[in-house]
Amino acid sequence: MGEAQELFDRILLAQRRNNVAASAGDHAFLLERVALDFADRLAGIKRTFPVGLNLGAFNGVLSRHLRSCERIGMLVDVELSVEMARQCDGPCVVADEEFLPFSDGTLDLVLSGLSLQLVNDLPGVLIQIFRSLKADGLLLASMLGGETLKELRHAWLIAEDEIYGGASPRVAPFANLRDVGSLLQRAGFALPVVDLDRVQVTYSSPLALMQELKGMGASNILNARLKKPVTRALLQRVCEVYHQCYGLDDGRVSATFDIVNMTAWVPHSSQQQPLKPGTAHARLADALGVKEMPAGEKARR
Amino acid sequence: MSNRERVTAVSEKNSPQGVTQQSDESIVDPKLLELLVCPLTKTRLIYNAQTKELISKAAGVAFPIRKGIPLMTPDAARQLDGDEK
């Protein structure tokens, strides 16, 4: 029985990131946004985190923003690409998110900015994160999800279908909000909160968007990708379709990035718990100012 | 998983004089080393200061440390020879 092929080529991802590491800072605007958002969210949490991880550290931009936070002690950058890791300025480990080198119950905080959308086994990674955290430890992560790059996906699909009579996978599939919430619960996390931050970015042309993605080291790493070069005619048609469908009045084009934010805790007795059914001290009917009915009976209109 | 243990640093008493003087950028934060376990087996690692490697006996591999950064990916690991195990 053959092994099912993995979705992403993670070795290729490391190579792509190595190649763009030198200028990674020029293409980190989404991560900077995530960093500011994380700083905001952590500001509202009144506790300290002596040991934290930043999973998928990219060039360390997220940690640079968050190391100034007094409540975080040691923040360790974990990055797949060696060249990216060399750009990080704090304690740093080269590791794959799918093979975390941390023992059980040692961490107080796991941060992750825009990297979990590229793992093959998200449920497995969440379980590994859960185990490496202490009781009452916090996971604060964002990943690209939802309708991210829907315009580019659509343009490639139309153009390839017209020219080749069929489409190949160009833009990775992304998880939706609801799936992420249930995966967090399945991994064992308590109090999971998932929200979406939609960022609309405009570019001078579809090519400029593709250049930016390349600069992020985010070019296609799908194992099922078409491994032959893109012809000039195909690329031209992609740009035409993109302009036609998603062009703006000023000649620029728009691209969607959906950032899925997740906050979840390892269960601890100090966290709020639901009461047992039947232990309420006040009636719901009193609070609503209505007459109480036995269960199953229809309210009269 | 009760067999998950922490890294223990091996003392450098066997290393020849001078080897302990490392250049600044090759020094790994000892607090960081304490956190690490083998990514494949989640068991403890032994730090070899001479070869600058983290050795996982359980997996039979050694993870190199380059310029102060431990390389803990499965493809960076070196298979241990028979007598190293």
Side-chain angles (χ1 to χ4, degrees), chain A residues 94 99-101 104 128 131, chain B residues 4 36-37 39 42 70-72:
Chain A
V94 172
F99 299 94
L100 288 183
D104 284 1
Q128 287 194 54
R131 290 178 140 189
Chain B
R4 298 194 177 185
L36 295 177
V37 292
K42 307 270 186 191
L71 307 185
M72 307 298 293

Side-chain angles (χ1 to χ4, degrees), chain A residues 137-199:
Chain A
L138 171 66
L139 167 67
L140 179 53
S142 8
M143 59 189 257
L144 291 173
E147 298 188 329
T148 297
L149 295 177
K150 61 175 177 184
E151 302 88 352
L152 191 63
R153 187 194 303 276
H154 182 216
W156 273 108
L157 191 121
I158 302 283
E160 265 191 312
D161 191 39
E162 278 177 15
I163 292 174
Y164 294 145
S168 72
R170 296 281 177 180
V171 176
F174 293 108
N176 69 36
L177 218 58
R178 189 176 297 178
D179 292 341
V180 173
S182 23
L183 286 181
L184 286 170
Q185 278 182 317
R186 217 174 94 187
F189 284 102
L191 314 172
V193 177
V194 184
D195 60 79
L196 190 103
D197 177 18
R198 173 161 291 184
V199 189

